């Protein structure tokens, strides 16, 4: 806990307990990460993730025996192997954790330059560590009586933004003096975000000897049923792709929107990335680039799934040149875009 002086409550009696208050907390939130890629850390992480009703909404009596008995006896081994292939061994953590730390450091510097020590900036994870509960507790102890909660997902989905917010609200239920809170809405169409995406594409293309035939925008998938039940994720992804194409000044057809990471038996949003890249290769598009606009930081789904599994699907179908364009991570344009979103959402609290 940061060692800051206590504030005096107005009109408080001399023997009133000392408290800290008057600061604004900015709490960034990302998906989460296992503590290690070995079996038991992977199992704990996957159990927490796949037990979330926002992620898998099947009846618990049907899903939990299958999850705890069959899936979690095998999946930690395969997932652990995938994590090991991308692990930041030097830091002893996943790339997602490393990048989120870097983003937080950069945003903290920007916020302190604007608002000084009136704000406190930190991050939490929906699954794994550091937990949302622990960081809310820490901010309250440090005098944050207002918290801006920022799920780092450009697009809203029940399985991402909503479950992150759910966890925040659970944490607030345990606070004697609840801070006022705001949750940052999706920013999929913010000009600064679209511009940051476009700049990353332009920079990547400038380094290539041959221009890709097609740019594939690969978004994390969700069951199609979620769209039919009112989740806006699919529509927001389509708009991001359109705005990106318009910002780049490209013709229609130059960008293909696809969805990855299908899990389970039911139909998910289509086309599936792993199948679409193969179709593109078979149709004569031998050079493609892939970008993942829904991910604010590179993680297992981008570094392993896109850059290994999806790349392999493209090459096996006859593709010759596969370019993965990294997530925006802590690129200056991305930090500027996130900082702009934060500043807009702080209005009325701090100027």
């Amino acid at each position: 806990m940061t060692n800051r002086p206590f504030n005096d409550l107005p009109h408080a009696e001399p023997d009133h307990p000392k408290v800290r208050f008057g600061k604004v907390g900015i709490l960034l939130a990302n998906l989460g990460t296992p503590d290690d890629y070995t079996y038991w850390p992977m199992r704990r992480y996957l159990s927490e993730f796949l037990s979330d009703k926002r992620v898998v909404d099947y009846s618990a009596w049907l899903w939990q025996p299958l999850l705890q008995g069959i899936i979690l006896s095998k999946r930690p081994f395969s997932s652990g192997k995938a994590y090991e292939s991308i692990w930041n061994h030097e830091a002893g953590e996943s790339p997602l954790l490393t990048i989120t730390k870097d983003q937080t450091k950069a945003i903290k510097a920007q916020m302190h330059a604007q608002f000084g020590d009136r704000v406190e900036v930190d991050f939490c994870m929906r699954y794994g560590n550091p937990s949302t509960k622990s960081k809310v507790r820490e901010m309250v102890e440090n005098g944050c009586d207002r918290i801006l909660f920022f799920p780092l997902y450009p697009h809203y989905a029940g399985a991402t933004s909503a479950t992150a917010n759910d966890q925040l609200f659970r944490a607030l239920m345990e606070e004697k003096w609840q801070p006022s809170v705001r949750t940052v809405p999706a920013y999929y169409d913010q000009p600064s975000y679209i511009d940051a995406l476009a700049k990353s594409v332009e920079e990547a293309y400038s380094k290539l000897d041959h221009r890709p035939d097609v740019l594939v925008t690969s978004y994390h998938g969700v069951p199609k049923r979620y769209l039919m039940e009112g989740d806006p994720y699919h529509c927001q992804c389509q708009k991001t792709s359109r705005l990106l194409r318009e910002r780049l000044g490209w013709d229609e057809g130059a960008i293909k929107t696809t969805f990855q990471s299908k899990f389970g038996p039911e139909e998910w949003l289509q086309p599936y990335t792993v199948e679409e890249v193969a179709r593109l290769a078979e149709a004569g598009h031998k050079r493609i680039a892939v970008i993942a606009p829904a991910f604010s930081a590179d993680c297992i789904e981008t570094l392993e799934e896109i850059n290994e599994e999806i790349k392999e699907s493209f090459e096996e179908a006859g593709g010759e040149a596969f370019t993965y364009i990294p997530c925006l991570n802590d690129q200056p344009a991305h930090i500027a875009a996130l900082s702009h979103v934060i500043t807009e959402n702080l209005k009325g609290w701090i100027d």
Side-chain angles (χ1 to χ4, degrees):
M1 184 176 73
T2 304
N3 186 20
R4 293 196 179 92
F6 290 99
N7 299 312
D8 290 325
L9 288 169
H11 315 298
E13 296 296 329
D15 61 346
H16 191 285
K18 298 295 185 179
V19 295
R20 292 186 174 96
F21 67 96
K23 293 176 65 67
V24 175
I26 300 166
L27 186 56
L28 311 174
N30 215 321
L31 179 75
T33 172
D35 294 326
D36 193 72
Y37 51 79
T38 53
Y39 179 81
W40 287 109
M42 283 300 314
R43 182 177 178 117
R44 285 194 298 271
Y45 173 74
L46 291 172
S47 180
E48 183 182 9
F49 176 49
L50 296 174
S51 294
D52 186 347
K53 292 285 288 185
R54 290 279 195 180
V55 175
V56 181
D57 63 354
Y58 302 148
S59 298
W61 69 267
L62 175 67
W63 174 242
Q64 282 298 322
L66 179 63
L67 174 64
Q68 301 298 332
I70 298 175
I71 295 173
L72 292 181
S73 66
K74 298 179 179 180
R75 184 154 180 158
F77 291 109
S78 58
S79 294
K81 186 176 181 181
Y83 267 98
E84 184 178 12
S85 71
I86 65 161
W87 200 254
N88 182 346
H89 293 278
E90 182 178 352
E93 60 192 26
S94 73
L96 176 65
L97 182 54
T98 301
I99 294 166
T100 305
K101 287 179 178 178
D102 292 340
Q103 291 172 326
T104 303
K105 181 179 178 180
I107 290 172
K108 182 182 295 186
Q110 180 63 39
M111 292 297 103
H112 283 177
Q114 289 181 245
F115 306 117
D117 61 4
R118 292 178 293 170
V119 299
E120 181 160 317
V121 182
D122 211 336
F123 76 94
C124 64
M125 296 295 185
R126 169 60 183 90
Y127 314 102
N129 296 306
S131 69
T132 304
K133 177 181 175 181
S134 69
K135 289 301 179 179
V136 168
R137 181 87 283 274
E138 191 174 305
M139 283 191 161
V140 171
E141 288 180 346
N142 287 347
C144 297
D145 52 29
R146 290 151 294 168
I147 295 178
L148 181 69
F149 187 72
F150 191 178
L152 292 175
Y153 306 109
H155 312 80
Y156 175 93
T160 55
S161 307
T163 189
N165 291 337
D166 290 345
Q167 199 72 346
L168 167 68
F169 302 146
R170 292 188 191 101
L172 293 173
M173 291 172 66
E174 300 189 22
E175 293 300 324
K176 285 286 189 293
W177 184 3
Q178 286 184 333
S180 299
V181 299
R182 292 177 178 173
T183 59
V184 176
Y187 55 97
Y188 63 95
D189 58 353
Q190 287 289 318
S192 56
Y193 161 68
I194 298 298
D195 192 57
L197 283 177
K199 286 178 179 176
S200 72
V201 172
E202 291 166 344
E203 181 179 352
Y205 275 36
S206 71
K207 298 176 182 177
L208 300 176
D209 294 331
H210 300 284
R211 180 184 175 88
D213 303 322
V214 177
L215 174 65
V216 177
T217 52
S218 181
Y219 299 86
H220 197 292
V222 297
K224 183 178 179 181
R225 172 170 53 87
Y226 291 9
L227 166 65
M228 307 312 293
E229 291 171 349
D231 194 304
Y233 178 72
H234 176 265
C235 300
Q236 292 181 359
C237 293
Q238 295 286 355
K239 186 172 183 180
T240 292
S241 292
R242 176 176 63 80
L243 292 174
L244 175 60
R245 179 181 60 78
E246 292 173 354
R247 161 59 180 78
L248 290 167
W250 293 357
D251 296 332
E252 290 190 31
I255 291 180
K256 290 284 291 185
T257 298
T258 64
F259 299 89
Q260 65 181 84
S261 308
K262 181 182 183 297
F263 175 79
E266 64 181 305
E267 181 183 358
W268 279 36
L269 298 178
Q270 294 193 41
Y272 302 134
T273 306
V274 69
E275 296 177 358
E276 185 63 22
V277 297
R279 281 195 288 268
L280 287 171
E282 291 165 355
H285 300 291
K286 301 302 183 183
R287 297 185 298 272
I288 67 168
V290 179
I291 190 172
F295 297 91
S296 63
D298 274 307
C299 54
I300 192 73
E301 287 87 355
T302 62
L303 298 175
E304 194 276 335
E305 186 178 359
I306 291 180
N307 212 23
E308 294 182 23
E309 296 177 28
I310 291 169
K311 177 182 180 181
E312 182 178 329
S313 175
F314 175 69
E315 292 176 344
E316 287 182 350
E320 296 173 359
F322 182 98
T323 299
Y324 169 61
I325 300 174
C327 293
L328 296 176
N329 297 327
D330 63 341
Q331 295 176 21
H334 189 213
I335 298 303
L338 296 177
S339 296
H340 173 74
V341 172
I342 290 170
T343 302
E344 288 296 302
N345 281 273
L346 285 175
K347 288 182 176 178
W349 272 2
I350 189 168
D351 297 306

